[in-house]
Amino acid sequence: MKIFNGRLATEDYMSTHSLTFSTPEMTLKKFALWLGESVKNSKTNTSTPRLLIYLEDKPDSKTNTSTPPSDYLPDVDDSFKPTGAIADFYSTKDTPPKSIASNPVEKKYCINCGNTIKQSSKFCNKCGSVQE
């Protein structure tokens, strides 16, 4: 049985192409065109579509022909896992941001009405009284 090694094809494509300023649709379209390009097959010394280079022979499963063996199924995980700059944006609400947790700020109260105000406030934003 011939199996397409998509993981190897994807790694080869990603290692030779820049994805800067590419949308997912554009990347997929370019990847599909790249797989269809004619290249010289080193085994047969003929020109074939690049897709055929990534076909591998795998032993046929005689025990269960309706379901392919789990070794040949892709490991697809569709759950969203934020990384990089947006990881903090999607963090859970239970954990406070690092700046607040590492640097506790003392609260300041208005001398007239007791409203909570910033340390640097010169006036109360509720009653307007001047702070000393």
Side-chain angles (χ1 to χ4, degrees):
M1 169 175 29
K2 297 246 184 208
I3 301 291
F4 174 66
N5 189 341
R7 182 172 289 125
L8 180 62
T10 304
E11 289 172 0
D12 287 350
Y13 180 79
M14 299 289 279
S15 67
T16 58
H17 291 78
S18 171
L19 300 179
T20 308
F21 305 115
S22 281
T23 62
E25 294 84 10
M26 185 184 302
T27 302
L28 184 60
K29 191 181 289 186
K30 287 181 179 180
F31 179 63
L33 293 172
W34 179 79
L35 284 174
E37 289 176 353
S38 290
V39 294
K40 195 169 203 170
N41 189 340
S42 59
K43 296 175 185 173
T44 62
N45 221 10
T46 60
S47 183
T48 60
R50 183 177 275 123
L51 175 72
L52 298 179
I53 295 173
Y54 295 100
L55 291 181
E56 299 176 351
D57 284 323
K58 297 288 182 180
D60 213 359
S61 173
K62 303 288 184 204
T63 58
N64 189 0
T65 56
S66 63
T67 308
S70 61
D71 292 344
Y72 305 144
L73 295 175
D75 53 349
V76 177
D77 182 9
D78 288 340
S79 61
F80 177 69
K81 296 178 186 86
T83 59
I86 64 167
D88 290 339
F89 183 72
Y90 285 98
S91 65
T92 60
K93 302 292 181 200
D94 299 338
T95 56
K98 293 175 187 174
S99 60
I100 293 174
S102 62
N103 189 10
V105 177
E106 290 184 30
K107 293 183 179 181
K108 182 178 174 182
Y109 300 96
C110 173
I111 56 175
N112 186 38
C113 69
N115 183 42
T116 306
I117 57 176
K118 292 181 183 177
Q119 283 284 10
S120 59
S121 295
K122 300 208 185 247
F123 301 94
C124 175
N125 58 359
K126 186 175 180 182
C127 69
S129 66
V130 178
Q131 303 300 304
E132 296 177 0

